[in-house]
Every structure is written in structure tokens, then in C-alpha cells.
Amino acid sequence: MTGFGKIVAELPNKKVTVELKSLNSKQLDLNLRIHPLYREKEMQLRNELMQNIERGKIDLTVTIDCIGRDTSVQINQPVLENYLSQVKEVAERMHLNEPSDWFLTLLRLPEIVKTDVGELDETEWEAVHTAFVNAMGMLNDFRVQEGEMLERFFAEKIGNISQLLKEVDPYEEERIEKIRVRISDSLNKFAEIEYDKTRFEQEMMYYIDKLDINEEKSRLDNHLKYFIDTMENGHGQGKKLGFIAQEIGREINTLGSKSNHLEIQKIVVRMKDELEQIKEQLLNVL
């Protein structure tokens, strides 16, 4: 389930941005990118995320923007001077021209720029942690809103399938009458031929049972109601809803194969379309 939360903590000499993003995943997958100053708190943040978020690919980013002249990034002057001295010496010894832009050349060399992480101030960490908690709450609120939207979507699609199931009834009466007429006509053609009546009755029972779709209709109706009841039973039902959707699909397929009627098969195709939309969105459900 997707979500987003972002909070900026305003501190005297810096701004700390806490950003949380979530994407769909079958399990909880945490990816933390934290400024080195707060690295020692990474395990605490991981634990809090695991306690408050059930599932998803979660990206946490904590960055610092310095305000004013104070910054943790410094030019390492002794190293720069040492590089300068060595470059001049090599250039003179090898009769090479000195660089036209010393700063551009020297700033590319390793260890010229250093970052002073410093000590983590507890007052500062409290402000950053509060921002993290608020961002996590914003993320969960976002996911709750998406969940409510999905609930309405599923209810609509299940309702559509249920309505389509009711549309089968008029065609079923027509279908049964056509089958009855076809069997009667066939019997009349062979009226003078002797046959085993017991075997004939057995074959007729088998044939009628294969064409009867009342059981499939009843099971499909029960699965639709079970889907709604499960959805309203709270969170953590994603996998269960997936299993129920599979059973709904199985009954729809059987209904189509046994109907032997063009209009009912058209209705079955529309049912499958509604069900496929449900299955696509079930991947977003916890």
C-alpha cells in the first residue's frame, strides 16, 4: 500500500527533513538513508517502523540543510596545502605547466573536503524524533485513506458481480426450456426404437446434472457475501480476500462452461472483467 509523509524540523542553525515513502510489497522491507549525525539512532528508528507499519517497501530519508555560516562541511586546509606543495614540486621537476585553476584542481583531490559529524545533542534528537513520529503518522493516515478508497472500490465491484448474477435468472428459464424441447424432439425421432429405460434415465440424470447451474450460482452468491464480510472484519485480511477472489473466479468459470447459453456467457465475461479489477487492487491490501 502506497503512502507518503514529510516533516521538516526547524532548528537554530539547520533544517532537518524527515521523509517516508511506502510502496506495495508482500512483506516489510525497510530502506533507511540517514545523515551520519543520527546514525547511532538507526536501530531505534527501525524498531519503531516495524512496530507501526505492517507491510510495504518503506524508504526513510533524514537529511540536514545548514542555515547560516555554520556548517559541518569544511575544507581540510592542511591537506590542501600539502597537495599544493607536492603539485608545484612535481610540475617543476618534470617541467610541466602549473594548473591554470588551482582551486578546481585541488578540490577534486581526495580528503580535501571533510565532514565533521560531531556529537549528537539530545535536545536536537528530540526535535528530529518528533518529526519522524509525525511523518510516520502522516504516512499511516495516507495509507488509511487509500484503504478506505479500496474498500469502496471492492464493494462496488462485488455489487456489480452480484447484480450480474441476478441477470442470469431470466436466461436460465429460457435455457432450460430450449434443452427440454431439444430432448423431446430427439425422443420423438427414436420413439419406435427399443432402448433400456433404466440406462436412459441414468444418462438423463447425468446430463441434467452437468447442465444444472443452481449450485454454482448459490456458491458464487455465498462467496460474494463472504468477501464483503471479510473486508469489513478489519485490517490484515489481504491474503484471505485473495483466496476468496480465487474461489469467486472458479465459480464464474464453471458457470460459464456449464451454461451452454450465449447470453449467460456474455454475462460471465462481464463478471470476469469485474473480478480482474478486484484482483489487481488486492495487491495493495494489507
Side-chain angles (χ1 to χ4, degrees):
M1 188 170 289
T2 58
F4 180 78
K6 180 179 179 180
I7 299 292
V8 178
E10 301 280 354
L11 300 173
N13 60 347
K14 66 182 73 172
K15 289 195 304 183
V16 180
T17 302
V18 180
E19 187 174 284
L20 273 167
K21 297 178 182 178
S22 73
L23 296 174
N24 302 322
S25 179
K26 291 183 179 180
Q27 60 274 330
L28 183 61
D29 181 11
L30 299 179
N31 180 30
L32 279 64
R33 296 190 297 275
I34 304 174
H35 190 277
L37 181 61
Y38 310 122
R39 190 71 67 190
E40 62 185 83
K41 301 293 186 179
E42 179 175 344
M43 190 55 66
Q44 176 185 341
L45 298 179
R46 281 184 176 274
N47 289 335
E48 291 188 37
L49 286 170
M50 292 172 65
Q51 292 171 6
N52 289 275
I53 300 176
E54 285 189 46
R55 200 178 78 188
K57 187 179 184 300
I58 310 298
D59 289 322
L60 168 65
T61 305
V62 182
T63 57
I64 295 178
D65 294 318
C66 294
I67 301 173
R69 300 176 61 88
D70 293 335
T71 176
S72 60
V73 179
Q74 302 290 335
I75 294 178
N76 196 335
Q77 189 171 342
V79 174
L80 187 147
E81 292 174 352
N82 185 270
Y83 275 132
L84 177 61
S85 174
Q86 291 186 60
V87 172
K88 284 185 175 181
E89 181 181 343
V90 171
E92 182 179 351
R93 186 169 64 249
M94 299 183 68
H95 306 289
L96 299 173
N97 294 326
E98 294 183 0
S100 59
D101 189 338
W102 279 107
F103 276 108
L104 183 60
T105 302
L106 293 173
L107 290 176
R108 291 176 176 174
L109 296 173
E111 300 182 8
I112 289 296
V113 179
K114 64 178 182 178
T115 301
D116 185 14
V117 176
E119 295 290 333
L120 177 58
D121 181 70
E122 284 302 319
T123 302
E124 175 181 334
W125 170 245
E126 288 179 5
V128 174
H129 183 258
T130 299
F132 165 74
V133 172
N134 292 336
M136 190 163 51
M138 186 182 297
L139 175 78
N140 281 327
D141 290 342
F142 195 108
R143 286 155 66 99
V144 167
Q145 291 175 8
E146 184 181 356
E148 292 172 348
M149 180 189 69
L150 287 173
E151 182 177 6
R152 292 192 295 271
F153 174 83
F154 290 142
E156 176 187 349
K157 296 302 174 183
I158 291 295
N160 291 344
I161 296 175
S162 181
Q163 181 59 39
L164 288 169
L165 180 59
K166 294 176 183 178
E167 294 179 15
V168 171
D169 292 342
Y171 296 113
E172 186 179 4
E173 295 176 3
E174 176 187 324
R175 182 181 72 102
I176 293 173
E177 180 61 23
K178 285 183 177 180
I179 294 171
R180 188 190 67 78
V181 171
R182 187 165 68 244
I183 293 174
S184 297
D185 291 343
S186 298
L187 288 175
N188 290 333
K189 292 179 182 179
F190 300 100
E192 297 178 357
I193 299 175
E194 294 185 2
Y195 57 86
D196 186 341
K197 294 185 178 181
T198 302
R199 179 63 185 274
F200 175 76
E201 290 176 358
Q202 291 175 348
E203 292 295 332
M204 284 297 298
M205 291 294 294
Y206 175 75
Y207 183 68
I208 292 172
D209 182 63
K210 284 194 66 175
L211 292 176
D212 183 32
I213 60 173
N214 285 318
E215 187 175 349
E216 284 72 21
K217 288 168 56 182
S218 177
R219 284 202 298 261
L220 177 56
D221 184 57
N222 288 334
H223 289 330
L224 295 174
K225 293 175 181 177
Y226 189 34
F227 188 100
I228 295 296
D229 291 342
T230 302
M231 183 174 63
E232 294 175 348
N233 196 33
H235 70 281
Q237 302 292 334
K239 290 183 179 180
K240 191 173 183 179
L241 291 175
F243 296 145
I244 299 172
Q246 290 179 5
E247 293 301 316
I248 291 174
R250 185 174 289 109
E251 298 304 330
I252 291 175
N253 288 333
T254 307
L255 184 65
S257 63
K258 292 180 68 174
S259 63
N260 198 25
H261 189 280
L262 179 60
E263 294 303 323
I264 294 180
Q265 288 172 341
K266 288 180 180 179
I267 293 174
V268 166
V269 170
R270 292 163 62 192
M271 286 182 178
K272 288 181 178 181
D273 180 54
E274 298 289 339
L275 182 61
E276 282 304 310
Q277 295 180 54
I278 291 174
K279 288 181 177 180
E280 288 176 6
Q281 294 301 322
L282 275 175
L283 299 174
N284 300 325
V285 180
L286 295 178

